[in-house]
Amino acid sequence: MRTITGRTDHVVVVGAGLAGLSAALHLLGAGRQVTLVERDRLPGGRAGLIEHDGYRFDAGPTVLTMPHLLEEAFAAVGQTMSDRLTLHPLHPAYRARFADGSSLDVHTDGHAMEAEIERFAGGREAAGYRRLRLWLHDLYQAQMGRFIDTNFDSPLSLLHPDLARLAALGGFGRLQPAIGRFITDERLQRVFSFQALYAGVPPARALAAYAVIAYMDTIAGVYFPEGGMHAVPAALSAAAADAGATLHYGQSVTRLDRIGDRITAVVTDRQRIPCDAVVLTPDLPVSYRLLGARPRRPLALRHSPSAVVLHAGTDRTWPELAHHTISFGAAWKQTFHELTRSGRLMSDPSLLITRPTATDPGLAPPGKHAHYVLAPCPNTAVGPPAASWDDLGPRYRDSLLRELERRGLTGFADAIDTEVLVTPADWTTQGHAAGTPFSVAHTFPQTGPFRPRNLVRGTANAVLAGCGTTPGVGVPTVLISGRLAAARIIGLPAGPRTTPPLPAAKEGRPA
């Protein structure tokens, strides 16, 4: 593995999102002096916080999996996650509701899920699920250390027995046919393949290797932190401060000073901070602009679909909603074509509805409820441009509310006493390329060693981290990304520090 040469005593980390905080903790644990600079007044980046009329809305991810990666980050500075966070395992992890009126609770416990599938679709599908569960576990084991949790220096890095095993498992085939080898019920296939949307690729075209996200969601366990998802970056930031990091919030980086191929200082709108190395976690175009260089690629980068998010504070809730509910429309292939090809808003949307107050009532005023409705939409490179959302946003919000009413959430619109609408225009304002928080899509030419690397040619002491670079999009992967960036600086092997067992968490306690 290539590492930065020369002095690396003082490292400036730009961005206090999950990737930057992970990098900071692993650097601190290796004895580096760390200064962290963040433009917002709070840590979190994409995992931000919206405080509005007494509600605490998570501005980014709502699903937490693989908490052992958080444990590793805390352990790097001699701390424990349980001293900082209380994680509640979610049972069920999701509730899936379908256009035909059927519903399925998605359990991470194998026996519970097998029984639920037998009730839902019969014994043959339950037997197929048993085989699918084993395949997902084998897939995870084959690719975690050599395809996800690794610093690639060359495509030749793929020449390893683990990758041959991944190929033998069908990991380089297509996701939807791979799932179909085990289960034939089209509704169940959706449950184990919709995660491809996180990777920005329709299931029919996504690599089967990305079924590893289904492993994380449906086997390894889904958790919710007390205080909301923003409690995670808040806890990581506090741990970094206690370990000696210098934290500067509310400062924007304006340029990087350099001599030759080395960054000598990070300059903000308030100060100049000399450094020996820098970790950059903003979206790729911002990082490349600061570096004054953009890697040459044969094809332009493709970005994942975006999303419209309605944060709604209500005076009531609906018992049919679990903490996480996936409301599938009748359309499926057409939906992905609209999101990634034609650029039209979903004509029959599939929605993620999160009700965080089901687990933590303290996120809303007494007697109130918080709901988060996420509707995938085309990014601004494929669909409506950012400027159009000033007019389009309110109209699309109204159509979403009508759709929720049609799907049984009677009175949802009337129950709203406060709301915040987030559209691709807002993601664009935050600096996210193509108006999407989901960054660069995981197409084959943008996966593994072909994804934008975390070392940039022409700069000797800068490393990238975050969802645009290795290994990719999602809370677990950006935590890994921060550790991989730290490994480029401190020279540690880039494999995982711990091997997580299949979770068996107790209620209210971290796994």
Side-chain angles (χ1 to χ4, degrees):
M1 182 189 70
R2 290 173 53 201
T3 58
I4 284 179
T5 59
R7 287 188 57 180
T8 59
D9 298 342
H10 179 207
V11 183
V12 174
V13 178
V14 178
L18 296 177
L21 291 165
S22 172
L25 288 170
H26 287 286
L27 289 165
L28 288 163
R32 300 310 192 268
Q33 177 188 353
V34 174
T35 299
L36 194 148
V37 181
E38 167 58 48
R39 67 181 178 181
D40 293 330
R41 62 182 180 86
L42 295 172
R46 284 171 167 83
L49 175 67
I50 299 172
E51 296 180 284
H52 188 72
D53 291 343
Y55 291 85
R56 291 172 59 87
F57 296 120
D58 284 316
T62 63
V63 178
L64 177 63
T65 61
M66 313 300 282
H68 74 281
L69 296 169
L70 284 173
E71 190 69 79
E72 288 176 3
F74 288 111
V77 291
Q79 301 184 34
T80 61
M81 183 171 63
S82 59
D83 290 336
R84 299 282 184 182
L85 286 170
T86 297
L87 301 187
H88 299 274
L90 298 185
H91 305 297
Y94 296 94
R95 176 165 294 150
R97 303 180 73 205
F98 300 94
D100 64 0
S102 60
S103 66
L104 171 82
D105 281 354
V106 179
H107 300 284
T108 53
D109 176 79
H111 296 297
M113 188 60 182
E114 185 178 338
E116 177 70 352
I117 289 177
E118 184 166 3
R119 175 200 67 79
F120 180 79
R124 182 175 179 180
E125 296 295 271
Y129 165 73
R130 286 198 299 270
R131 298 192 302 273
L132 172 63
R133 187 179 176 93
L134 291 172
W135 179 72
L136 290 172
H137 183 270
D138 290 345
L139 199 71
Y140 170 81
Q141 294 290 343
Q143 69 176 304
M144 192 63 183
R146 292 289 175 177
F147 196 68
I148 296 176
D149 198 351
T150 191
N151 273 318
F152 286 104
D153 290 323
S154 159
L156 296 176
S157 303
L158 290 173
L159 301 178
H160 187 277
D162 282 353
L163 274 301
R165 184 176 172 222
L166 179 59
L169 288 166
F172 295 110
R174 298 302 176 190
L175 176 61
Q176 191 164 306
I179 298 296
R181 295 201 314 265
F182 302 96
I183 49 180
T184 59
D185 189 292
E186 189 265 348
R187 297 167 300 172
L188 289 175
Q189 290 179 5
R190 292 190 189 190
V191 168
F192 292 99
S193 65
F194 81 90
Q195 297 87 353
L197 185 59
Y198 302 156
V201 187
R205 299 203 311 269
L207 288 178
Y210 284 105
V212 72
I213 311 175
Y215 170 86
M216 295 175 185
D217 277 1
T218 66
I219 296 178
V222 175
Y223 302 82
F224 189 70
E226 200 163 294
M229 284 292 290
H230 187 260
V232 173
L236 293 171
S237 174
D242 287 351
T246 301
L247 309 179
H248 296 299
Y249 290 104
Q251 296 193 30
S252 296
V253 173
T254 58
R255 74 173 193 271
L256 304 175
D257 286 349
R258 63 195 299 156
I259 297 176
D261 64 356
R262 295 192 73 85
I263 306 299
T264 58
V266 173
V267 181
T268 77
D269 51 5
R270 296 189 188 180
Q271 62 179 318
R272 181 179 185 274
I273 309 170
C275 64
D276 300 312
V278 62
V279 176
L280 296 169
T281 71
D283 217 14
L284 289 178
V286 177
S287 294
Y288 290 152
R289 176 179 55 78
L290 289 171
L291 290 168
R294 179 182 294 272
R296 289 190 296 270
R297 296 179 62 89
L299 298 172
L301 290 174
R302 286 181 52 192
H303 288 79
S304 297
S306 185
V308 172
V309 179
L310 175 63
H311 301 279
T314 65
D315 59 16
R316 59 165 291 195
T317 190
W318 291 261
E320 59 265 42
L321 294 177
H323 186 114
H324 293 299
T325 299
I326 307 165
S327 177
F328 289 106
W332 189 238
K333 292 180 181 179
Q334 174 186 334
T335 292
F336 285 100
H337 185 269
E338 291 168 339
L339 291 173
T340 64
R341 297 294 187 183
S342 70
R344 293 192 297 268
L345 297 178
M346 290 184 293
S347 55
D348 184 18
S350 290
L351 308 172
L352 172 63
I353 306 167
T354 295
R355 184 166 64 104
T357 43
T359 303
D360 187 351
L363 297 172
K368 304 291 186 177
H369 307 270
H371 297 85
Y372 165 112
V373 182
L374 183 148
C377 69
N379 65 47
T380 57
V382 175
S388 69
W389 281 97
D390 287 343
D391 176 64
L392 180 58
R395 289 189 286 114
Y396 191 55
R397 172 259 187 202
D398 291 345
S399 72
L400 285 177
L401 292 178
R402 288 193 296 270
E403 189 64 37
L404 292 174
E405 297 268 354
R406 280 195 294 269
R407 297 187 185 188
L409 301 186
T410 305
F412 193 98
D414 292 338
I416 296 175
D417 60 24
T418 193
E419 66 181 89
V420 177
L421 183 70
V422 182
T423 74
D426 300 293
W427 305 124
T428 299
T429 299
Q430 293 174 30
H432 301 322
T436 173
F438 303 115
S439 192
V440 177
H442 285 264
T443 58
F444 184 77
Q446 297 176 173
T447 293
F450 309 112
R451 197 164 181 81
R453 295 183 196 164
N454 55 10
L455 292 180
V456 180
R457 188 173 299 174
T459 303
N461 62 338
V463 188
L464 305 181
C467 55
T469 184
T470 303
V473 179
V475 172
T477 40
V478 296
L479 290 169
I480 292 171
S481 179
R483 176 159 50 72
L484 293 176
R488 291 288 196 186
I489 294 172
I490 60 185
L492 290 178
R497 307 282 80 75
T498 62
T499 301
L502 290 179
K506 294 181 180 179
E507 292 289 340
R509 299 299 299 167

